[in-house]
Amino acid sequence: MAAGNWTPELVEFAGGENIFGEIGQHSPWLSWEELQAADPDVLVLSPCGFSLERTMQDVPLLQQHPAWSALRAVKNGRVFAIDGNAYLNRSGPRLVESAELLGRVLWGSLPDFSVDEHAHTQIA
């Protein structure tokens, strides 16, 4: 699934472009073919209800798919996981921190800008 509801807006706040979900709409289903056709520069994995540790348990399932290694984000080492349960997937005060985490994975480390380093990890 792609991100919907408030997450596309968070991506915009972080300076990115969300190419699948729409602001205020439910998270859409996404096929491997659609993912391949869009071939995004960055992939952020943040399943609803999953901690970072739980998300990482399922990463091998993605890596086993024949299309995985051909994706631009994978080839360029721009695949990240964020603790969706604690950040992106819950509305509330942590939405600001969620946008900051997205900014970190999109743009890297910036001076005078800090995030919870245990809330995200680089996969590829």
Side-chain angles (χ1 to χ4, degrees):
M1 292 182 79
N5 299 309
W6 52 83
T7 304
E9 192 169 20
L10 292 174
V11 172
E12 286 181 15
F13 289 153
E17 177 186 358
N18 188 51
I19 57 175
F20 294 112
E22 294 183 37
I23 296 170
Q25 300 296 315
H26 291 294
S27 300
W29 289 100
L30 180 64
S31 70
W32 276 97
E33 291 77 19
E34 291 169 307
L35 182 60
Q36 287 176 279
D39 201 15
D41 294 326
V42 178
L43 282 173
V44 176
L45 309 177
S46 171
C48 190
F50 280 24
S51 66
L52 182 59
E53 294 77 20
R54 178 62 183 86
T55 298
M56 295 305 294
Q57 288 176 11
D58 282 352
V59 168
L61 297 174
L62 297 172
Q63 292 170 327
Q64 291 171 7
H65 194 281
W68 178 258
S69 61
L71 294 170
R72 178 184 7 241
V74 174
K75 287 192 239 180
N76 294 332
R78 303 291 315 272
V79 181
F80 302 89
I82 292 178
D83 187 332
N85 193 48
Y87 292 95
L88 296 175
N89 303 322
R90 294 181 184 266
S91 60
R94 279 206 156 167
L95 289 180
V96 172
E97 293 173 65
S98 297
E100 291 171 344
L101 280 166
L102 286 167
R104 169 58 63 88
V105 302
L106 291 173
W107 308 111
S109 189
L110 299 171
D112 301 322
F113 183 81
S114 65
V115 298
D116 179 357
E117 295 300 331
H118 300 290
H120 67 94
T121 191
Q122 187 170 3
I123 296 170

